[in-house]
Amino acid sequence: MSTIAQLQRLARKHGTPLFVVDHDVLRRNYTEFRRRLPRVQAYYAVKANPDPTVVRTLYEAGASFDVASLPEFRIVHENIRRMPPRKRQEWIWDKIIYANPIKDNRTLQYLNRYKPLVTYDNLTEIEKIRRHAPRAGLILRLNVPNTGSVVELSSKFGAAAGEAVDLIERAFRAGLVVEGVSFHVGSQCTNFQNYVQALEIAAEVFREAWARGYTQMRVLDIGGGFPAPYDRHVRPFRELAKILNAEFGRLFPPEIEILAEPGRFLVATAATLVVEIIGKALRDGKPCYYVNDGVYGTFSGVLFDHCRYPLKAFRSGPAELSTVFGPTCDALDVISNAEELPRNLKLGDLLYSRNVGAYSTASATNFNGMGPAKIIAVNR
Ligand SMILES: *Cc1c(COP(=O)(O)O)cnc(C)c1O
């Protein structure tokens, strides 16, 4: 992780707002994921941070990719196409899964030549895939409990357990091939029981599908949701891994190929944002600092990701409760109403926020024309 001195030096050199991605941390997170879940191939969910250098580093480390749109597919495809192949692969889905259950027709037509692996969860989608991407392999997305996850997804996606095997049968009858099932327990899932329940639902669907003769189904995709250690209350990944490994052994024979789509877990801790104080005021007796990046920019996760990003100053001193505002003209642009910051910070002072690698630059807007933070890589 970049040291304080390093961050200050980089901010002096490159200006602010500055988004510093530490590629050692990316590699370390990937290695930890693989080491603790040896049966699982990791398909990095590009939507968490689509920076091309992140994609390349994770590819070199051994990752495959989960994309959710055609532009994301292209980011991955263009970046890994020029890199040396890891091994001979006939199907692109050894490297890329298209895991958005809803795809427009043009995307399907474009993907068809690559024999992609795509998810689906309803009849309309089967018909679309049959017409526009008949070479695709299918993965049925299941609806599973998202209880207690910070970002909930179960109200939008997933087939109910009771209709799952019928949807598998309908796809085969349409001449398509269903390779397996997937689920997503919700992002920043700190309730590990969600995974246990989801695995049980998935195992039951496999059993029933095999019983109906669809024995070629071999892929179990356990999605994302693996929590980043934002604070001490998040139970460590090794505890989740232990639970998962035990359930894999109990529920899934060794010939089942297991893959996962970690987004946040791989990138959240790899980036730090440095911002600069560009204005200050006392409002209702409380110090307020205006900084040059906000919730319409890199701190977009405050709105879209239900995430808090503690801010720290580079100098210490007696602290007081302060508000930190973003730079736009909108009153919604509040990064924090309660930061313990040193008293009487000055214009031009820098603040930094750790663990901003996921769902930050990815969902930043160009509101007020303020543009994105500069992204730089260290330890690449
Ligand atoms: C967003 C998403 C992911 C990544 O989720 P994280 O919580 O960031 O790990 C994985 N799979 C699918 C289908 C997603 O929509």
Side-chain angles (χ1 to χ4, degrees):
M1 193 161 65
S2 336
T3 63
I4 303 241
Q6 215 174 4
L7 291 171
Q8 271 176 311
R9 198 166 42 208
L10 290 169
R12 260 199 307 276
K13 180 167 170 208
H14 297 281
T16 60
L18 187 67
F19 187 82
V20 182
V21 182
D22 187 334
H23 287 242
D24 271 347
V25 180
L26 288 176
R27 283 184 287 268
R28 207 183 312 146
N29 289 346
Y30 178 79
T31 305
E32 176 175 16
F33 192 90
R34 287 305 312 269
R35 187 168 51 88
R36 302 227 183 255
L37 295 174
R39 254 186 94 174
V40 180
Q41 169 64 357
Y43 283 62
Y44 168 55
V46 173
K47 77 172 190 282
N49 186 330
D51 183 65
T53 65
V54 171
V55 167
R56 287 204 289 268
T57 291
L58 288 173
Y59 179 76
E60 281 161 355
S64 302
F65 298 90
D66 154 14
V67 300
S69 69
L70 197 49
E72 283 184 5
F73 177 85
R74 288 204 175 109
I75 287 172
V76 174
H77 196 228
E78 262 145 45
N79 276 284
I80 70 179
R81 198 170 50 184
R82 297 190 203 102
M83 303 179 70
R86 293 195 297 251
K87 58 174 190 212
R88 281 223 157 272
Q89 290 155 331
E90 192 205 341
W91 285 37
I92 196 153
W93 65 262
D94 285 339
K95 284 182 248 160
I96 306 178
I97 179 172
Y98 193 102
N100 187 339
I102 305 297
K103 299 153 286 298
D104 63 42
N105 292 342
R106 287 184 51 199
T107 298
L108 288 169
Q109 285 155 11
Y110 182 92
L111 290 175
N112 189 42
R113 77 191 80 162
Y114 298 108
K115 296 190 192 169
L117 190 63
V118 301
T119 61
Y120 78 107
D121 66 5
N122 66 68
L123 284 174
T124 309
E125 207 67 15
I126 292 176
E127 183 52 24
K128 276 161 60 186
I129 296 169
R130 186 186 69 75
R131 291 175 60 139
H132 301 292
R135 284 154 65 90
L138 274 62
I139 297 280
L140 178 69
R141 169 89 169 254
L142 299 169
N143 191 278
V144 297
N146 279 203
T147 317
S149 295
V150 174
V151 184
E152 214 268 352
L153 301 165
S154 62
S155 56
K156 185 166 175 183
F157 297 117
E163 60 179 355
V165 184
D166 286 335
L167 280 169
I168 290 167
E169 195 153 74
R170 294 291 285 264
F172 276 109
R173 289 215 183 125
L176 300 169
V177 175
V178 183
E179 305 278 352
V181 304
S182 74
F183 56 76
H184 197 303
V185 295
S187 201
Q188 188 67 7
C189 172
T190 51
N191 172 14
F192 298 165
Q193 278 309 304
N194 283 346
Y195 284 100
V196 174
Q197 287 171 23
L199 289 171
E200 261 160 21
I201 293 168
E204 187 53 41
V205 171
F206 271 112
R207 272 194 293 272
E208 205 183 317
W210 291 333
R212 286 202 212 172
Y214 303 116
T215 47
Q216 63 271 68
M217 286 178 55
R218 286 263 175 280
V219 177
L220 169 68
D221 173 356
I222 64 171
F226 312 95
Y230 290 121
D231 60 53
R232 247 168 265 130
H233 304 294
V234 179
R235 281 160 70 201
F237 180 66
R238 86 180 108 78
E239 286 182 27
L240 173 56
K242 210 170 146 190
I243 295 170
L244 290 174
N245 289 329
E247 294 301 297
F248 295 157
R250 189 170 73 82
L251 296 168
F252 300 98
E255 64 270 22
I256 292 289
E257 215 181 300
I258 306 178
L259 53 102
E261 302 162 350
R264 183 190 305 280
F265 180 83
L266 298 181
V267 292
T269 54
T272 305
L273 180 69
V274 185
V275 298
E276 183 173 332
I277 296 175
I278 56 167
K280 55 186 278 193
L282 205 61
R283 305 186 67 83
D284 299 324
K286 191 171 166 196
C288 297
Y289 298 104
Y290 300 79
V291 300
N292 59 355
D293 202 349
V295 305
Y296 286 92
T298 315
F299 289 108
S300 58
V302 170
L303 296 181
F304 298 126
D305 193 37
H306 318 277
C307 204
R308 277 199 62 246
Y309 299 105
L311 287 139
K312 298 224 175 333
F314 285 91
R315 67 176 170 83
S316 52
E320 75 190 319
L321 211 57
S322 314
T323 293
V324 183
F325 290 123
T328 66
C329 280
D330 189 353
L332 182 68
D333 196 358
V334 185
I335 302 164
S336 171
N337 268 315
E339 284 305 304
E340 289 283 347
L341 287 172
R343 212 167 277 167
N344 201 22
L345 291 168
K346 305 268 188 297
L347 294 184
D349 280 354
L350 303 178
L351 302 176
Y352 67 96
S353 227
R354 297 254 188 226
N355 304 331
V356 297
Y359 306 110
S360 51
T361 51
S363 42
T365 75
N366 194 33
F367 183 51
N368 273 188
M370 282 175 177
K374 179 169 186 183
I375 301 176
I376 62 156
V378 296
N379 299 321
R380 241 189 104 189

Coordinates of all heavy atoms in Angstrom, one line a residue, residues 43 45 47-48 66 68 99-101 119 141 153 157 182-184 186-189 195 221 223-226 260-265 358-359, ligand 1:
Y43 N -13.1 -14.8 -12.1 CA -13.5 -13.9 -13.3 C -13.7 -12.5 -12.7 O -14.8 -12.2 -12.1 CB -14.8 -14.4 -13.9 CG -14.6 -15.6 -14.8 CD1 -14.1 -16.8 -14.3 CD2 -14.9 -15.6 -16.2 CE1 -14.0 -17.9 -15.1 CE2 -14.7 -16.7 -17.0 CZ -14.3 -17.8 -16.5 OH -14.1 -18.9 -17.3
A45 N -14.9 -9.0 -12.0 CA -16.0 -8.2 -12.5 C -15.6 -6.8 -12.8 O -15.4 -6.0 -12.0 CB -17.1 -8.2 -11.4
K47 N -16.9 -4.3 -14.0 CA -17.6 -3.1 -13.7 C -17.2 -2.4 -12.4 O -17.3 -1.2 -12.2 CB -19.1 -3.4 -13.6 CG -19.6 -4.0 -12.3 CD -21.2 -4.1 -12.4 CE -21.8 -4.5 -11.0 NZ -21.7 -6.0 -10.8
A48 N -16.5 -3.1 -11.5 CA -16.0 -2.5 -10.3 C -14.9 -1.5 -10.5 O -14.9 -0.5 -9.8 CB -15.5 -3.6 -9.3
D66 N -15.4 -11.0 -15.9 CA -16.9 -11.0 -16.0 C -17.2 -9.6 -16.5 O -16.8 -8.6 -15.9 CB -17.4 -11.2 -14.6 CG -18.8 -10.5 -14.4 OD1 -19.5 -10.2 -15.4 OD2 -19.2 -10.4 -13.2
A68 N -20.3 -6.9 -18.2 CA -21.7 -6.7 -18.1 C -22.3 -5.8 -19.3 O -23.4 -5.4 -19.2 CB -22.1 -6.1 -16.8
A99 N -22.0 -11.6 -17.9 CA -22.8 -12.1 -16.8 C -24.0 -11.1 -16.5 O -24.5 -11.1 -15.4 CB -22.0 -12.3 -15.5
N100 N -24.4 -10.3 -17.5 CA -25.6 -9.5 -17.3 C -26.7 -10.3 -17.9 O -26.7 -10.6 -19.1 CB -25.4 -8.2 -18.0 CG -26.5 -7.2 -17.8 OD1 -27.6 -7.6 -17.4 ND2 -26.3 -5.9 -18.0
P101 N -27.7 -10.7 -17.1 CA -28.8 -11.5 -17.6 C -29.6 -10.9 -18.7 O -30.3 -11.6 -19.5 CB -29.7 -11.8 -16.4 CG -28.8 -11.5 -15.2 CD -27.8 -10.4 -15.6
T119 N -25.3 -15.3 -19.2 CA -26.3 -15.7 -18.2 C -27.7 -15.2 -18.7 O -27.8 -14.4 -19.6 CB -26.0 -15.0 -16.9 OG1 -26.1 -13.6 -17.0 CG2 -24.7 -15.4 -16.3
R141 N -29.1 -17.8 -14.2 CA -28.9 -17.0 -13.0 C -30.1 -17.3 -12.1 O -31.2 -17.2 -12.4 CB -28.9 -15.5 -13.4 CG -28.9 -14.6 -12.2 CD -27.6 -14.2 -11.6 NE -27.7 -13.1 -10.7 CZ -27.3 -11.9 -10.9 NH1 -26.8 -11.6 -12.1 NH2 -27.5 -11.0 -10.0
L153 N -29.3 -7.2 -5.0 CA -29.5 -7.4 -6.4 C -30.7 -8.3 -6.7 O -31.1 -8.5 -7.8 CB -28.2 -8.0 -7.0 CG -26.9 -7.2 -6.9 CD1 -25.8 -8.1 -7.2 CD2 -27.0 -6.0 -7.8
F157 N -32.8 -9.5 -10.5 CA -32.3 -10.7 -11.3 C -32.5 -12.0 -10.6 O -32.6 -12.1 -9.4 CB -30.8 -10.5 -11.6 CG -30.5 -9.3 -12.4 CD1 -29.7 -8.3 -11.8 CD2 -30.9 -9.1 -13.7 CE1 -29.3 -7.2 -12.6 CE2 -30.6 -8.0 -14.4 CZ -29.8 -7.0 -13.9
S182 N -25.7 -19.8 -12.0 CA -25.0 -18.8 -11.3 C -25.9 -18.1 -10.3 O -27.1 -18.3 -10.3 CB -24.4 -17.8 -12.3 OG -25.5 -16.9 -12.7
F183 N -25.3 -17.4 -9.4 CA -26.1 -16.5 -8.5 C -25.2 -15.4 -8.1 O -24.0 -15.3 -8.3 CB -26.6 -17.4 -7.3 CG -25.5 -18.0 -6.5 CD1 -24.7 -17.3 -5.6 CD2 -25.3 -19.4 -6.6 CE1 -23.7 -18.0 -4.9 CE2 -24.3 -20.1 -5.8 CZ -23.5 -19.3 -5.0
H184 N -25.9 -14.4 -7.4 CA -25.1 -13.3 -6.8 C -25.8 -13.0 -5.5 O -27.0 -12.7 -5.4 CB -25.1 -12.1 -7.7 CG -24.0 -11.1 -7.3 ND1 -23.9 -10.5 -6.1 CD2 -23.0 -10.6 -8.0 CE1 -22.9 -9.7 -6.0 NE2 -22.3 -9.7 -7.2
G186 N -25.4 -10.5 -3.5 CA -25.4 -9.1 -3.2 C -24.0 -8.6 -2.9 O -23.2 -9.4 -2.4
S187 N -23.8 -7.4 -3.2 CA -22.4 -6.9 -3.0 C -22.0 -6.5 -1.6 O -22.9 -6.1 -0.8 CB -22.2 -5.7 -4.0 OG -20.8 -5.5 -4.2
Q188 N -20.7 -6.7 -1.3 CA -20.3 -6.5 0.1 C -21.2 -7.3 1.1 O -21.8 -6.8 1.9 CB -20.3 -5.0 0.5 CG -19.6 -4.7 1.9 CD -18.1 -4.9 1.9 OE1 -17.5 -5.2 0.9 NE2 -17.5 -4.8 3.1
C189 N -21.1 -8.6 0.8 CA -22.0 -9.6 1.5 C -21.2 -10.0 2.8 O -20.2 -10.7 2.8 CB -22.2 -10.8 0.7 SG -23.1 -12.1 1.6
Y195 N -24.3 -17.2 1.1 CA -23.6 -18.1 0.2 C -24.0 -19.6 0.5 O -24.2 -20.3 -0.4 CB -22.1 -18.0 0.4 CG -21.4 -16.8 -0.2 CD1 -21.1 -15.6 0.6 CD2 -21.1 -16.7 -1.6 CE1 -20.6 -14.5 0.0 CE2 -20.6 -15.6 -2.1 CZ -20.3 -14.5 -1.4 OH -19.7 -13.4 -1.9
D221 N -21.3 -21.0 -11.0 CA -20.7 -19.7 -11.0 C -21.3 -19.0 -9.7 O -22.5 -18.8 -9.6 CB -21.1 -18.9 -12.2 CG -20.8 -17.5 -12.2 OD1 -20.2 -17.0 -11.2 OD2 -21.0 -16.8 -13.2
G223 N -20.7 -16.1 -8.5 CA -20.9 -14.7 -8.5 C -19.9 -13.9 -7.7 O -18.8 -14.3 -7.5
G224 N -20.3 -12.7 -7.3 CA -19.4 -11.8 -6.5 C -19.9 -11.7 -5.1 O -20.5 -12.6 -4.6
G225 N -19.7 -10.5 -4.5 CA -20.2 -10.2 -3.2 C -19.1 -10.3 -2.1 O -19.4 -9.9 -1.0
F226 N -18.0 -10.9 -2.4 CA -16.9 -11.1 -1.4 C -16.5 -9.8 -0.8 O -16.1 -8.9 -1.5 CB -15.7 -11.8 -2.0 CG -16.1 -13.0 -2.9 CD1 -16.3 -12.9 -4.2 CD2 -16.4 -14.2 -2.2 CE1 -16.8 -13.9 -5.0 CE2 -16.8 -15.3 -3.0 CZ -17.0 -15.2 -4.4
A260 N -16.0 -17.8 -10.0 CA -16.6 -16.7 -9.2 C -16.3 -15.4 -9.9 O -15.5 -15.4 -10.8 CB -15.9 -16.7 -7.8
E261 N -17.0 -14.4 -9.5 CA -16.9 -13.1 -10.2 C -16.6 -12.0 -9.2 O -17.4 -11.1 -9.0 CB -18.3 -12.8 -10.9 CG -18.7 -13.8 -11.9 CD -20.2 -13.7 -12.3 OE1 -20.9 -13.0 -11.6 OE2 -20.6 -14.4 -13.3
P262 N -15.5 -12.1 -8.5 CA -15.2 -11.1 -7.5 C -14.9 -9.7 -8.2 O -14.1 -9.7 -9.2 CB -13.9 -11.6 -6.8 CG -13.3 -12.5 -7.9 CD -14.4 -13.1 -8.7
G263 N -15.5 -8.7 -7.7 CA -15.2 -7.3 -8.2 C -14.5 -6.5 -7.1 O -13.3 -6.4 -7.0
R264 N -15.4 -6.1 -6.2 CA -14.9 -5.3 -5.1 C -13.7 -5.9 -4.3 O -12.7 -5.2 -4.0 CB -16.1 -5.2 -4.1 CG -15.8 -4.3 -2.9 CD -17.0 -4.5 -1.9 NE -18.3 -4.2 -2.4 CZ -18.8 -3.0 -2.6 NH1 -18.1 -1.9 -2.3 NH2 -20.0 -2.8 -3.2
F265 N -13.8 -7.2 -4.0 CA -12.7 -7.8 -3.2 C -11.3 -7.6 -3.8 O -10.3 -7.4 -3.1 CB -13.0 -9.3 -3.0 CG -11.9 -10.0 -2.2 CD1 -12.0 -9.9 -0.8 CD2 -10.9 -10.7 -2.8 CE1 -11.0 -10.5 0.0 CE2 -9.9 -11.3 -2.0 CZ -10.0 -11.2 -0.6
A358 N -13.1 0.3 -5.7 CA -14.2 -0.3 -6.3 C -15.4 0.7 -6.4 O -15.7 1.4 -5.5 CB -14.7 -1.5 -5.5
Y359 N -16.1 0.6 -7.5 CA -17.3 1.4 -7.7 C -17.1 2.9 -7.4 O -17.9 3.5 -6.7 CB -18.5 0.8 -6.9 CG -18.7 -0.6 -7.2 CD1 -18.4 -1.6 -6.3 CD2 -19.1 -1.0 -8.5 CE1 -18.5 -3.0 -6.6 CE2 -19.3 -2.3 -8.8 CZ -19.0 -3.3 -7.9 OH -19.1 -4.6 -8.2
Ligands
LIG1 C1 -21.6 -6.6 -9.8 C2 -21.5 -8.0 -10.1 C3 -20.4 -8.7 -9.7 C4 -19.3 -8.2 -8.8 O1 -19.8 -8.0 -7.5 P1 -18.8 -7.6 -6.3 O2 -19.8 -7.5 -5.1 O3 -18.1 -6.4 -6.6 O4 -17.9 -8.8 -6.1 C5 -20.3 -10.1 -10.0 N1 -21.2 -10.6 -10.8 C6 -22.3 -10.0 -11.2 C7 -23.3 -10.7 -12.1 C8 -22.5 -8.6 -10.9 O5 -23.6 -8.0 -11.3

